[in-house]
Amino acid sequence: MENLLTYEASTFVNFRNYKFRAPRSHGYRWVDLKHLRFPAESGQAQELLSALIGHEQFRDDYAGGGVLSEGSRHGPYWLRLVTPDVYEAISRERSAYVLSGWVNQFGDLPAELEADLQQEVFDRLAAADHIYCLSGLGDEAIHDWGRVHEHFHEFVLIDRSAGRVTLLVAADD
């Protein structure tokens, strides 16, 4: 099923690359987006979620190791416990609300960061036909050092008109 999706590109928005007015005392924050193409005749969302989970680009611990083709971790979770069933359909409004809350939790952002987040995150949410959120998998799903992230938000955006699945992870550590 991995052949259903073709890796296209990644975008990484690193909050440390922007000049904040006041020094930030919170952790390292970032948004990672992985874009994968799918053919027009692709099936239902569950099929696309399954193909995404099976794709090499999904094997990323988001803790500096990058994508590991034989990796056993996905973010803070054991890869084997991430299935299409743990993704919950979520509205554009709810996903934007969750991400806005996380983005703005420490106050105002530099204008350049706001503009980049609008383009890379919020415009993509608005364009998606379907959005899925990785729901809390519980303590048993967290791998041996998976608590490195203070916050870990994951969304899968399906944009059929563009033929693209975007894996969006927003986290801090």
Side-chain angles (χ1 to χ4, degrees), residues 56-83:
E56 178 181 277
Q57 289 295 315
F58 197 77
R59 293 177 184 87
D60 192 333
D61 58 30
Y62 297 100
V67 173
L68 300 172
S69 61
E70 300 301 319
S72 61
R73 295 174 178 87
H74 172 73
Y77 305 110
W78 290 111
L79 178 63
R80 71 181 185 282
L81 299 176
V82 180
T83 65

Side-chain angles (χ1 to χ4, degrees), residues 90-126:
I90 186 171
S91 69
R92 288 182 188 103
E93 296 78 17
R94 180 71 183 148
S95 58
Y97 176 80
V98 168
L99 286 169
S100 292
W102 174 78
V103 163
N104 295 305
Q105 66 184 316
F106 298 110
D108 294 337
L109 299 176
E112 291 173 325
L113 176 55
E114 277 190 53
D116 287 347
L117 289 170
Q118 183 63 49
Q119 177 183 343
E120 296 298 337
V121 175
F122 296 102
D123 288 351
R124 291 183 192 282
L125 288 175

